[in-house]
Amino acid sequence: MVKNVKVSLLLLFFMSSGIYAQNIDISILRSLNTPRVLPADNFYRFVTNSHSYIIIGSNLSMGAAGFIRHDNEMKHNALDMAISSIVTAGITQALKYSIERDRPFVKYPDISLKTKAGDPSFPSGHTSAVFSAATSVSLSYPEWYIIVPSYTWAGLVGYSRMRLGAHYPSDVLAGALIGTGTAWLTHHVTKKLNTRQVKSHTPDGYH
């Protein structure tokens, strides 16, 4: 009897926590999204649509510059960024179709969608992609003039997904964590592999 009561209370706690979190999620989104079209929405549509062009463009530019300059480090950085982007996309899509969370504008008619949105909501694919790219380039080139613009752009893309009604705040937060974590892990794994490869090609007695 006591065990059943404990289980019931535990279930009630988790249900209440979930409802509370969902209420915060939609409350924040409602404060960011407006039913009417505002002039600033054009700017946020531009920001949200920039993500693939900037990611692909910067990756290709870095790789091309590495080949032209015969700079192996730059080529490795470009490869690192590409691998991180692919892994991030795979994790994001797997979670989207495992969880299958409805988009906010589907569940709440007062949320106005002001951009294109198709697949399930959680996590935000745009956000995971841009934070993966921002983290990759920041780890490869840890200078303030690289880090600040990279994360400012990534943050704006994440904000735009909420502003335009495409995602809940929790979708964006999860996307940022996935992109950042995947890029960090990829960077350190590829760095170790590159170090081992260099050591294996270094003749004994030479450094």
Side-chain angles (χ1 to χ4, degrees):
M1 179 68 179
V2 175
K3 185 178 180 181
N4 290 336
V5 171
K6 287 182 177 179
V7 171
S8 298
L9 289 173
L10 191 62
L11 287 172
L12 182 62
F13 170 76
F14 282 115
M15 288 175 64
S16 300
S17 299
I19 293 170
Y20 180 69
Q22 179 67 15
N23 287 340
I24 293 177
D25 225 11
I26 188 59
S27 295
I28 294 173
L29 182 59
R30 281 175 173 147
S31 70
L32 301 177
N33 176 260
T34 58
R36 64 188 184 282
V37 177
L38 300 175
D41 292 337
N42 291 326
F43 168 73
Y44 289 111
R45 270 191 291 270
F46 171 79
V47 169
T48 209
N49 292 329
S50 73
H51 89 290
S52 58
Y53 297 103
I54 292 179
I55 293 171
I56 295 172
S58 57
N59 202 182
L60 291 177
S61 298
M62 195 188 305
F67 277 103
I68 293 169
R69 298 178 182 179
H70 304 288
D71 187 330
N72 287 332
E73 184 179 0
M74 188 173 284
K75 286 189 281 187
H76 286 147
N77 291 339
L79 181 61
D80 177 65
M81 184 176 178
I83 292 172
S84 176
S85 295
I86 292 168
V87 174
T88 297
I91 293 172
T92 300
Q93 290 302 308
L95 286 172
K96 277 181 178 288
Y97 288 100
S98 296
I99 298 170
E100 291 193 332
R101 185 185 197 183
D102 287 335
R103 295 275 183 167
F105 59 87
V106 173
K107 190 170 183 179
Y108 299 96
D110 59 308
I111 298 298
S112 178
L113 178 65
K114 302 177 182 180
T115 187
K116 294 179 181 179
D119 52 15
S121 191
F122 185 92
S124 167
H126 280 66
T127 308
S128 64
V130 294
F131 272 89
S132 172
T135 303
S136 288
V137 75
S138 296
L139 288 170
S140 296
Y141 305 100
E143 304 290 346
W144 72 267
Y145 51 83
I146 298 292
I147 297 171
V148 172
S150 296
Y151 280 107
T152 298
W153 167 68
L156 279 171
V157 172
Y159 177 81
S160 74
R161 303 308 289 162
M162 298 180 287
R163 173 69 180 244
L164 299 174
H167 283 288
Y168 293 99
S170 57
D171 299 338
V172 171
L173 178 59
L177 292 174
I178 291 167
T180 302
T182 302
W184 185 90
L185 186 61
T186 301
H187 176 81
H188 285 84
V189 169
T190 55
K191 188 176 181 180
K192 284 185 178 180
L193 291 175
N194 289 336
T195 302
R196 288 179 184 177
Q197 187 178 18
V198 170
K199 285 182 178 179
S200 67
H201 286 83
T202 301
D204 292 341
Y206 290 88
H207 298 281

